[in-house]
Amino acid sequence: MLPAMRILIVEDDADAAAYLVKAFGEAGHMADHARDGLTGYGMAEEGGYDCLVVDRMLPKMDGLTMIGGLREQGLQTPVLVLSALGQVDDRVKGLRAGADDYLPKPYAFSELLARVEVLAKRKGTTQTAETAYVVGDLRLDRLSHKVSRAGEDIPMQPREFRLLEYLMRNAGRVVTRTMLLEQVWDYHFDPGTNVIDVHISRLRAKIDKGQAKPLLHTVRGAGYVIREGA
Amino acid sequence: MGSGLRRLIGTTAFKLSLGYMVASALFAGGLITYVGIHARQLIDEQIGQTLTAQINALSDQYRVGGIRRLTAVVDRRTREPGAFLFLLQGPAGETLAGNISGVRAESFANGTTVETSYQRLEDEGQQRSALVRAFVLPGNNRLLVGRDLEERERLNTVLGQAIRILIGALLVFGVLGAFLVARRAIARMDAMTASGQSIMAGDLMQRLPVSGSGDEIDRLAVSLNAMLDRIGLLMQGMKEVSDNIAHDLRTPLTRLRNSAEQALRTGGSKEEYRAALERTIEESDGLIRIFNALLLITRAEAGTGTDAFKEVDVSELMGDLAEMYEPSAEEAGAKLLANVPAGLVVLGNRELLGQVLANLIDNALKYGLPSVAGATSEIRLTASAEQDRLLISVADHGEGVPETERSKVLERFHRLDASRHKPGSGLGLSLAAAVARLHKGELRLDGNGPGLKVTLELPMAPMRTA
């Protein structure tokens, strides 16, 4: 189980906010709710949150202004923007305002949860200094670009290496197909069918084939996770 | 009538015509006056010269034969037809010979040509005017020779009349012409206004009348009509979208509703509820995909976002996509072959172009694999530069699209009967066509003997000056 996170949801739609508070609670986190930008700004400034989930269109102060203000105050808390606009240029605007991730409505909660968990993790750890990732007996060396399982080298294509690297950096956390598309391929469009699944099954064949304990797991309806044990 | 006339006079055409008319009247008047002044000077000069010649001849007579001879000669000359005017006076001012009287005294100043009034002896009492020149002879006799100015007066009369007639005619024709031009302009404007009003009332097929003369009003009408065409096209697109949404979203929405309803009605185990809910989520995800695709198409067709175009390395994008789809192709038993030279760049939207190429490859994988066992199942991804155009094509060896269907498959939601059982929204090629248009390019479908070859033709980015 991941450590519990404190999440602030800034959303003017009461139903949507109540649903999110409940859903994050069920996922083992604690979520607070602010119904407008000004309240959200105040609560976020008080601090103590691991991640902010901010709707773009908010009463009193819109989402992007709020984020910009918080960043100016030096607040480092990761921010995910939710928006009904959901086009590429809107995403760019969101990121420019200081957000760390962007999710268009309507979204699957599993997608939001996965992104928030990955974002919140980024805050605490100084992962950039890590030169190798280890999950069980699987080891990925970021400097030599070597991957080995139980001491045995596994040859990797560059893209496979990046895919595995991203999964291992977020070991224990579910990553969705869209996250993989964005982070590993830098694609912000929908490639359709099951392209990612095929890449994952190839990767799985390389690292888990013939192993007693598989490490790369599929989470139904959500995505993939690399971890020890089921 | 009063308001109609005021409207007519108020038109730009009327004012312009009238202005032109006044200007040409002034010009014509000025020209005639100028000619008149110069003609008069010329006439005066000529008269002056003949008078000098007469005086010279007569003073010769005087030198030869004295006053008596001069008197006789003047007397004879006054009787010749078309004679000059003569007056010969003795030292005391008595008339010795001549055919005029009543000449002002100051006319007798020696040697200068002056204009004066006089009376002819044969019809005394009628004042005439003449140009005269006096010559004082030895012995204080004075000789006056002159020429009637009747010709000059006639010229003046003729020119004056010409000016009056000309200006009169210009006034009449000008005002008349101005009225006619204004009436025509008003008629055309009224026709345009009427068309405009019926367009505003909702008849978007209506166009402004074009007279065919190619004048400025025509040009305006033509460009407004072009604008209406574009608006009409956009409106038609919008209408199609709403029709499509109404028609094609009903099916998945009905499925969604049915499965939820059925689960509620029949109840059942927890697993059954779970399965029903999972189906519901699946269906709604499908709906979201369709909405997103429609939104992308609409945005691309509206032409928004072209200002945010950046240089897109198509070679790199295609290479990445080929690599991304290669495992999927292999799994489907096909070969994905990419033949893309490096460094092909277009000005555009990377996400949209990527989406389109992904759609085309996805289509080829879904519909472009041969149904006959053992046939080649190659999907070829090629790009080449031809002059300033970039040709990107995705070719398969599937069943292809019959020629008659090729323009239809570019329409939203259109699907070939043969492929209806396969997953898909029928929006992929519509998006490709819309994105091609957004990039000022086009999408072509060709046969690939057998199979389908989809070509995206885009203008290349202008070469950067290194």
Side-chain angles (χ1 to χ4, degrees):
Chain A
M1 203 69 205
L2 291 165
M5 299 184 300
R6 288 195 63 208
I7 299 158
L8 176 63
I9 295 151
V10 192
E11 160 76 79
D12 60 330
D13 181 56
D15 284 347
Y19 165 69
L20 286 180
V21 169
K22 189 161 174 277
F24 275 119
E26 283 162 5
H29 304 297
M30 277 168 51
D32 292 335
H33 171 222
R35 61 174 63 251
D36 63 72
L38 223 51
T39 315
Y41 185 92
M43 288 171 78
E45 224 181 2
E46 299 275 305
Y49 290 105
D50 297 296
C51 187
L52 311 181
V53 175
V54 180
D55 190 29
R56 257 194 76 168
M57 293 198 231
L58 289 169
K60 294 190 184 166
M61 182 192 269
D62 81 273
L64 295 192
T65 313
M66 184 192 121
I67 296 163
L70 287 171
R71 289 283 182 258
E72 244 167 65
Q73 296 289 314
L75 191 85
Q76 299 293 318
T77 313
V79 177
L80 184 143
V81 175
L82 291 177
S83 164
L85 304 171
Q87 289 289 320
V88 173
D89 42 338
D90 298 325
R91 181 176 58 82
V92 172
K93 267 182 221 157
L95 299 187
R96 207 172 286 153
D100 301 275
D101 202 357
Y102 190 97
L103 193 58
K105 288 178 181 175
Y107 52 84
F109 179 72
S110 54
E111 181 81 39
L112 176 62
L113 180 66
R115 285 172 182 257
V116 165
E117 284 182 343
V118 164
L119 274 183
K121 181 216 165 204
R122 242 172 46 185
K123 183 190 157 199
T125 56
T126 49
Q127 30 149 322
T128 40
E130 287 182 54
T131 57
Y133 298 132
V134 178
V135 176
D137 54 358
L138 178 67
R139 186 188 152 83
L140 179 141
D141 192 313
R142 298 180 70 200
L143 298 179
S144 65
H145 278 237
K146 284 231 164 71
V147 176
S148 64
R149 177 101 201 243
E152 221 170 291
D153 275 0
I154 304 171
M156 288 270 160
Q157 305 277 340
R159 188 76 66 180
E160 285 170 342
F161 183 86
R162 283 179 60 189
L163 182 57
L164 184 61
E165 185 185 21
Y166 184 72
L167 283 163
M168 289 182 79
R169 190 199 304 159
N170 295 297
R173 290 176 174 78
V174 177
V175 296
T176 65
R177 292 171 180 81
T178 324
M179 287 161 79
L180 290 173
L181 265 178
E182 289 179 9
Q183 300 297 324
V184 179
W185 277 272
D186 190 24
Y187 284 173
H188 296 276
F189 52 83
D190 173 15
T193 55
N194 56 347
V195 228
I196 297 289
D197 298 354
V198 179
H199 279 272
I200 290 285
S201 65
R202 281 203 166 186
L203 182 64
R204 183 176 278 144
K206 282 195 174 177
I207 61 168
D208 278 347
K209 202 170 184 184
Q211 301 285 338
K213 281 187 192 166
L215 298 174
L216 182 49
H217 307 278
T218 302
V219 181
R220 261 201 93 195
Y224 302 98
V225 63
I226 202 158
R227 68 172 165 233
E228 274 187 282
Chain B
M1 180 63 211
S3 80
L5 192 66
R6 219 173 303 129
R7 213 169 128 233
L8 211 62
I9 290 170
T11 59
T12 311
F14 182 84
K15 287 175 189 160
L16 267 179
S17 312
L18 216 61
Y20 273 125
M21 190 272 298
V22 169
S24 39
L26 284 176
F27 181 74
L31 191 70
I32 291 173
T33 311
Y34 177 83
V35 167
I37 289 169
H38 278 264
R40 189 187 166 112
Q41 270 176 5
L42 205 70
I43 289 171
D44 286 0
E45 252 169 54
Q46 269 182 344
I47 292 176
Q49 279 168 9
T50 47
L51 293 184
T52 310
Q54 284 288 332
I55 285 170
N56 287 345
L58 289 175
S59 56
D60 280 351
Q61 295 290 340
Y62 179 77
R63 256 199 312 281
V64 173
I67 190 69
R68 286 201 29 210
R69 173 137 185 190
L70 183 61
T71 308
V73 170
V74 167
D75 214 35
R76 197 173 65 235
R77 288 203 176 169
T78 58
R79 275 191 286 276
E80 285 170 5
F84 278 71
L85 307 175
F86 296 103
L87 185 62
L88 183 60
Q89 289 183 332
E94 73 282 15
T95 299
L96 301 176
N99 49 9
I100 56 171
S101 67
V103 178
R104 286 199 308 276
E106 62 266 26
S107 308
F108 286 95
N110 195 9
T112 53
T113 310
V114 292
E115 203 177 318
T116 180
S117 58
Y118 76 99
Q119 293 167 4
R120 272 179 196 269
L121 289 182
E122 62 258 39
D123 55 311
E124 223 158 315
Q126 193 182 345
Q127 286 287 335
R128 296 165 184 272
S129 62
L131 214 54
V132 296
R133 192 164 192 183
F135 187 66
V136 182
L137 301 162
N140 223 14
N141 294 311
R142 281 176 297 184
L143 174 64
L144 193 99
V145 184
R147 187 85 188 164
D148 193 274
L149 284 175
E150 203 181 343
E151 278 172 46
R152 210 180 76 181
E153 301 299 317
R154 245 200 339 262
L155 182 73
N156 272 350
T157 318
V158 166
L159 287 179
Q161 213 163 16
I163 288 179
R164 281 193 298 277
I165 290 173
L166 196 71
I167 289 177
L170 272 171
L171 264 172
V172 171
F173 284 115
V175 172
L176 219 69
F179 270 117
L180 285 177
V181 168
R183 268 248 311 265
R184 190 169 135 72
I186 282 184
R188 288 176 70 184
M189 286 302 160
D190 282 350
M192 286 176 100
T193 311
S195 311
Q197 269 159 355
S198 71
I199 292 166
M200 272 190 278
D203 179 12
L204 281 173
M205 290 297 105
Q206 176 91 26
R207 290 292 175 267
L208 301 177
V210 176
S211 73
S213 65
D215 63 3
E216 64 285 346
I217 296 180
D218 259 16
R219 286 205 301 277
L220 180 69
V222 166
S223 66
L224 285 177
N225 282 342
M227 185 182 85
L228 287 169
D229 286 344
R230 173 90 180 117
I231 292 173
L233 224 63
L234 284 176
M235 289 295 293
Q236 202 191 331
M238 300 279 281
K239 193 180 166 307
E240 268 169 33
V241 170
S242 50
D243 287 356
N244 290 155
I245 289 173
H247 181 261
D248 283 81
L249 292 186
R250 262 170 216 268
T251 317
L253 276 171
T254 309
R255 275 205 305 267
L256 183 86
R257 198 178 189 289
N258 285 352
S259 87
E261 209 174 29
Q262 176 147 9
L264 271 184
R265 200 174 51 228
T266 58
S269 65
K270 204 176 163 190
E271 282 68 38
E272 280 167 337
Y273 273 125
R274 191 175 182 85
L277 283 174
E278 274 171 1
R279 266 203 311 280
T280 308
I281 289 178
E282 226 171 82
E283 291 286 358
S284 56
D285 280 351
L287 280 167
I288 291 167
R289 270 173 184 247
I290 294 178
F291 268 120
N292 284 343
L294 278 175
L295 201 65
L296 277 183
I297 295 175
T298 315
R299 286 223 179 173
E301 284 190 339
T304 50
T306 47
D307 49 333
F309 271 11
K310 290 196 177 84
E311 282 181 356
V312 179
D313 188 334
V314 173
S315 308
E316 200 189 308
L317 185 64
M318 288 179 77
D320 282 357
L321 279 166
E323 185 218 275
M324 165 164 245
Y325 279 94
E326 194 270 325
S328 300
E330 202 185 301
E331 196 155 88
K335 252 202 185 111
L336 185 62
L337 302 169
N339 181 11
V340 181
L344 297 175
V345 177
V346 297
L347 216 54
N349 181 320
R350 181 175 179 268
E351 316 303 334
L352 284 178
L353 290 171
Q355 182 72 68
V356 165
L357 289 169
N359 285 354
L360 295 181
I361 300 171
D362 193 47
N363 274 353
L365 284 172
K366 269 195 218 145
Y367 315 115
L369 301 179
S371 46
V372 194
T376 41
S377 43
E378 274 177 6
I379 293 165
R380 279 182 186 276
L381 211 57
T382 49
S384 61
E386 263 172 36
Q387 285 157 359
D388 55 346
R389 308 292 276 181
L390 178 60
L391 302 177
I392 301 166
S393 63
V394 179
D396 63 45
H397 290 292
E399 282 164 26
V401 175
E403 233 174 304
T404 48
E405 290 275 316
R406 281 184 194 152
S407 63
K408 282 195 204 147
V409 295
L410 297 183
E411 289 166 15
R412 290 183 197 89
F413 294 110
H414 187 89
R415 305 188 64 193
L416 296 180
D417 291 335
S419 68
R420 279 195 189 274
H421 61 282
K422 294 183 184 173
S425 61
L427 290 172
L429 284 176
S430 321
L431 177 67
V435 169
R437 279 198 296 275
L438 179 71
H439 287 80
K440 300 202 164 27
E442 60 172 324
L443 188 78
R444 282 199 307 269
L445 303 186
D446 299 296
N448 195 32
L452 178 69
K453 183 179 178 188
V454 184
T455 305
L456 186 64
E457 188 184 323
L458 300 174
M460 294 264 266
M463 284 299 219
R464 269 171 298 183
T465 42

